Amino acid sequence: MSHAVERIQATYQVYLERMEELEQNRKPGDGLFGLPGGPASDPCQDVFVRELTQALAALAETGASEELRQGLEYVYEAPLARREDKTVYWMLAAAHSLTVPHLDKLTPEDAEALYQTYREAYPRRERLPAQKHVLARLKERARS
């Protein structure tokens, strides 16, 4: 596994650990009815997006479609194990939009493989705009 893929995994690990810590220390009423507080409003959300953006860019710069595919598989599978924690699930699912600028660096074969597994993992009724955009770009890349 490449250093760039490991960096993506480490970014997720730090985020998930922080979210777990925040959830354990949550006070009654934090974040209820749109009030501030709670895990969803913690700065770790922004840090995660920034760090993941940088890690994905570093991965795409390697130029290796296989490594990029490994990193993208990790990003795309991450929300699936976190469905019970809606704050984490929706953040991880929304983060898929950060992968779109890098999909053109996949080979058509890798794009097709990712397209097939992604389509199965995210049924139509559960797709956010981010998932729809990823699927469209993967399909487009697979056909090029």
Side-chain angles (χ1 to χ4, degrees):
M1 184 174 314
S2 76
H3 175 69
V5 174
E6 289 172 351
R7 182 176 172 192
I8 288 173
Q9 292 174 340
T11 299
Y12 274 78
Q13 187 64 33
V14 168
Y15 172 74
L16 294 171
E17 287 173 1
R18 177 67 180 148
M19 288 301 288
E20 187 175 310
E21 176 186 334
L22 289 168
E23 193 60 45
Q24 289 174 355
N25 297 326
R26 178 180 232 162
K27 295 176 184 158
D30 277 353
L32 288 178
F33 307 113
L35 296 173
S41 62
D42 191 82
C44 75
Q45 306 295 341
D46 294 329
V47 171
F48 172 70
V49 169
R50 185 176 60 249
E51 293 293 322
L52 183 58
T53 299
Q54 292 171 357
L56 286 166
L59 178 60
E61 286 176 11
T62 66
S65 180
E66 184 177 334
E67 286 182 41
L68 180 57
R69 179 179 166 186
Q70 289 174 356
L72 293 175
E73 285 172 341
Y74 185 86
V75 170
Y76 296 157
E77 291 172 6
L80 301 174
R82 303 287 180 175
R83 289 184 188 270
E84 72 285 348
D85 184 343
K86 294 302 181 193
T87 302
V88 171
Y89 175 80
W90 292 118
M91 173 54 94
L92 298 183
H96 291 185
S97 64
L98 301 174
T99 68
V100 172
H102 310 295
L103 298 179
D104 289 340
K105 295 187 176 164
L106 292 166
T107 64
E109 295 79 19
D110 282 341
E112 176 65 27
L114 275 174
Y115 172 79
Q116 294 301 331
T117 57
Y118 195 91
R119 191 177 59 150
E120 292 171 18
Y122 295 93
R124 187 179 305 266
R125 68 186 178 283
E126 295 178 15
R127 292 179 194 156
L128 296 170
Q131 280 75 45
K132 293 174 185 176
H133 196 122
V134 167
L135 276 170
R137 291 293 299 271
L138 284 171
K139 187 176 186 178
E140 180 181 306
R141 180 63 183 144
R143 291 182 176 172
S144 64

